[in-house]
Amino acid sequence: MSATFTVSAGVRIPTSLLRQRRGRGSGSGSGSGRWHRLSTRAASELELEVCVKASTTVPDRLGDCPFTQRVLLTLEEKHLPYQMKFVDLSNKPHWFLQISPQGKVPLLKLQEKWLADSNVITQALEQKYPQPPLTTPPHKASVGSNIFSTFIAFLKSKDPSDATQQALLRELTSFNEYLKDNGPFINGDTISAADLSLAPKLYHMEIALGHYKNWSVPESLSYLNNYMKTIFSRESFVKTRALHEDVIAGWRPKVMS
């Protein structure tokens, strides 16, 4: 993915637009000033607004919602400028409850309408901004979809003999075999919406199980480990990932319940 240029807090402008605007300057001095004015105007005209969970450990940072990260990854991979609105979910502000009566994130404002649910949001973004395409073929869209629920069951389990760990291992092994035959991504050589949905959940799995269960993905699942390493180091992922401390804090209530 190409780098982005930040023109104000929370607003990202694609490098391609940066090059386009710079190319219109007549000289190094005037070009720089003109770019600043034009990029700021471009941000105000083009940026999308996203309501996201605020960090509970560090002020003014993104929190630990994997569904929100899915939306942000979609925006990053499509090189769309956006502005994040941090929401304290433990003390939801009135303005947020007015647009989200259920009090849930993510929310994205598209064409003056607030959309909820990461499935709805990402589909709307794909329809409105089809390039670059992120659509996953229907017969591949559900690959790896059971990993998240089996991870949660194992994380919450207090009985070592209840087979929740084995259930997770079966799902991970199945996904590893899929990647062996079809990878490196779910849709082959190109990243797609299915990866952007699954990767944040694998990130939470890695951190939460490592902290609460002292458990990690077996080294024998080499294709899965490479998949996680590749996506977790991707620029779009690094920009949108939650802090480890927030992931740990976010899962604590489920572990302790």
Side-chain angles (χ1 to χ4, degrees):
M1 172 187 165
S2 62
T4 57
F5 180 78
T6 302
V7 296
S8 62
V11 180
R12 303 188 188 279
I13 298 294
T15 298
S16 58
L17 179 58
L18 171 60
R19 293 196 187 101
Q20 179 182 359
R21 295 300 189 184
R22 278 180 175 164
R24 295 177 182 176
S26 57
S28 58
S30 61
S32 174
R34 181 178 301 175
W35 158 241
H36 176 77
R37 289 191 297 273
L38 288 174
S39 64
T40 302
R41 185 177 67 187
S44 65
E45 292 175 352
L46 300 176
E47 73 185 19
L48 298 165
E49 297 178 48
V50 193
C51 292
V52 303
K53 180 181 180 180
S55 168
T56 60
T57 63
V58 179
D60 301 320
R61 288 289 300 267
L62 179 66
D64 61 299
C65 175
F67 303 99
T68 296
Q69 190 183 12
R70 176 190 181 185
V71 170
L72 298 180
L73 282 169
T74 303
L75 292 169
E76 288 284 347
E77 292 291 339
K78 286 186 172 293
H79 318 309
L80 297 171
Y82 61 92
Q83 183 178 50
M84 294 186 290
K85 294 182 178 294
F86 298 108
V87 179
D88 180 355
L89 295 185
S90 65
N91 184 26
K92 298 165 187 172
H94 179 67
W95 66 262
F96 174 65
L97 291 173
Q98 284 186 313
I99 60 176
S100 178
Q102 293 183 327
K104 295 182 179 180
V105 293
L107 286 180
L108 181 135
K109 191 175 185 180
L110 183 64
Q111 295 178 314
E112 302 305 314
K113 180 180 179 181
W114 285 101
L115 302 179
D117 187 275
S118 62
N119 283 325
V120 173
I121 293 171
T122 53
Q123 289 172 13
L125 288 172
E126 187 66 35
Q127 183 176 9
K128 176 69 174 176
Y129 306 102
Q131 298 299 327
L134 294 174
T135 302
T136 310
H139 66 285
K140 297 181 179 181
S142 63
V143 171
S145 60
N146 292 327
I147 292 175
F148 194 52
S149 60
T150 53
F151 143 59
I152 295 174
F154 177 39
L155 180 67
K156 295 171 63 177
S157 171
K158 295 177 175 59
D159 180 2
S161 64
D162 66 3
T164 54
Q165 180 178 356
Q166 289 74 14
L168 174 60
L169 278 172
R170 283 196 298 272
E171 292 298 331
L172 295 178
T173 300
S174 176
F175 186 57
N176 183 76
E177 291 303 307
Y178 175 87
L179 293 174
K180 179 181 178 180
D181 297 332
N182 301 278
F185 300 110
I186 290 175
N187 194 31
D189 292 333
T190 58
I191 199 164
S192 71
D195 301 298
L196 305 187
S197 176
L198 180 60
K201 298 169 184 175
L202 293 174
Y203 179 71
H204 278 240
M205 180 192 75
E206 180 181 66
I207 296 171
L209 291 181
H211 180 82
Y212 290 109
K213 298 281 191 179
N214 194 29
W215 187 94
S216 60
V217 175
E219 292 183 5
S220 59
L221 302 182
S222 57
Y223 292 92
L224 171 58
N225 277 298
N226 287 335
Y227 175 84
M228 293 168 64
K229 182 179 179 180
T230 298
I231 294 188
F232 293 173
S233 62
R234 198 173 178 91
E235 184 180 3
S236 61
F237 199 95
V238 172
K239 287 180 179 180
T240 60
R241 67 189 177 190
L243 298 172
H244 280 222
E245 297 89 339
D246 278 316
V247 175
I248 292 168
W251 287 103
R252 185 171 292 117
K254 289 189 178 293
V255 175
M256 301 304 177
S257 62

